[in-house]
Amino acid sequence: MRGDRPTKVPIDTRTGAFASVSEPKTWCPFEIAFGAVGDHGEWDGLGIVFTDEDSLAGVDLDDCLDESGQFIWGQDIVQGLNTYTEISPSGRGLKLFLRGAKPTSAGSRKDGFGPLGIGKVEVYDQGRFFAVTGRPMHGFLNTVENRHADFEAMCDWLWPATASTGDRGENPKTEANGHRISCLGALLAMNVADHNDGSHRLFAACCRCVEHDLNDQE
């Protein structure tokens, strides 16, 4: 517990002490972890570590579901990434697992989503662990997909490239205004299908940038 709120800490199955995302010797294979949870009633579940040696990445959407499990915001993000998505331990968030790499200029956390501004997006591909529930979100894929381009497009939206960070050559560009990243390209890459779930900021921002792009080209 941290204050009055439960928190999630990794455990070394061999010693019962805290594990560390930077110490591989404190990790174990899935089969051992799964068996250990069954043998220790005080342990609540499983977690997975993201490392620089694997191709996995994770996206964590906090406070995106209401009490009945319906989207408050973030449905277009989940649809755009289109990979395995599961309900978080709290029941109010989602975790997405995909194959891809986070751009080096991208951050790890962005706040202020949803109608109340309390939602958060976190993205990681190493140096972090996610609690895993195995409770897939109904209506979405049950397989971990290669979504590198979509993942980069989402990171471009969350942390736009600037003159100081530089552009990322793999993503769609526009020649207008000093090789600015094309919001239209990012929108199309994410394959966003629905903006009626409260997470309309992406759509509005892209529309504004697209309008500028079109005006520049006229």
Side-chain angles (χ1 to χ4, degrees):
M1 300 295 291
R2 184 174 296 152
D4 60 352
R5 183 174 181 175
T7 187
K8 298 177 284 290
V9 294
I11 299 295
D12 183 343
T13 59
R14 286 177 286 266
T15 66
F18 291 151
S20 170
V21 296
S22 61
E23 288 290 344
K25 65 182 181 182
T26 65
W27 313 339
C28 66
F30 168 79
E31 292 78 8
I32 295 177
F34 186 78
V37 170
D39 294 337
H40 295 80
E42 72 276 18
W43 294 353
D44 293 317
L46 297 171
I48 185 170
V49 179
F50 298 105
T51 78
D52 59 1
E53 297 178 354
D54 60 49
S55 60
L56 287 175
V59 178
D60 188 2
L61 307 182
D62 284 343
D63 294 307
C64 66
L65 303 179
D66 61 21
E67 293 181 355
S68 63
Q70 300 300 308
F71 278 101
I72 301 173
W73 65 274
Q75 185 171 354
D76 53 358
I77 295 177
V78 178
Q79 289 176 329
L81 291 177
N82 194 29
T83 188
Y84 174 68
T85 303
E86 68 172 31
I87 300 171
S88 65
S90 69
R92 302 297 294 271
L94 293 173
K95 286 185 168 65
L96 292 77
F97 296 86
L98 57 94
R99 298 196 182 280
K102 188 176 77 169
T104 56
S105 57
S108 296
R109 171 173 162 172
K110 200 82 164 184
D111 297 350
F113 294 87
L116 299 179
I118 62 174
K120 297 183 290 293
V121 178
E122 297 183 67
V123 296
Y124 301 99
D125 63 357
Q126 59 182 291
R128 186 77 172 192
F129 92 102
F130 272 7
V132 179
T133 63
R135 298 167 55 197
M137 183 66 173
H138 178 70
F140 297 98
L141 293 181
N142 286 335
T143 53
V144 177
E145 299 292 327
N146 186 334
R147 296 290 185 247
H148 179 69
D150 297 322
F151 187 49
E152 279 204 335
M154 186 194 71
C155 290
D156 284 339
W157 160 57
L158 291 170
W159 296 280
T162 64
S164 60
T165 61
D167 289 330
R168 291 188 275 275
E170 297 81 3
N171 293 310
K173 306 288 183 180
T174 175
E175 294 297 325
N177 288 347
H179 302 278
R180 181 176 64 250
I181 289 177
S182 169
C183 290
L184 176 59
L187 180 62
L188 294 175
M190 286 190 69
N191 190 28
V192 178
D194 182 7
H195 302 282
N196 298 318
D197 59 5
S199 54
H200 55 275
R201 297 178 183 178
L202 166 63
F203 183 67
C206 283
C207 283
R208 286 194 293 271
C209 290
V210 167
E211 180 182 0
H212 287 305
D213 285 347
L214 294 177
N215 290 338
D216 289 338
Q217 295 170 15
E218 290 178 354

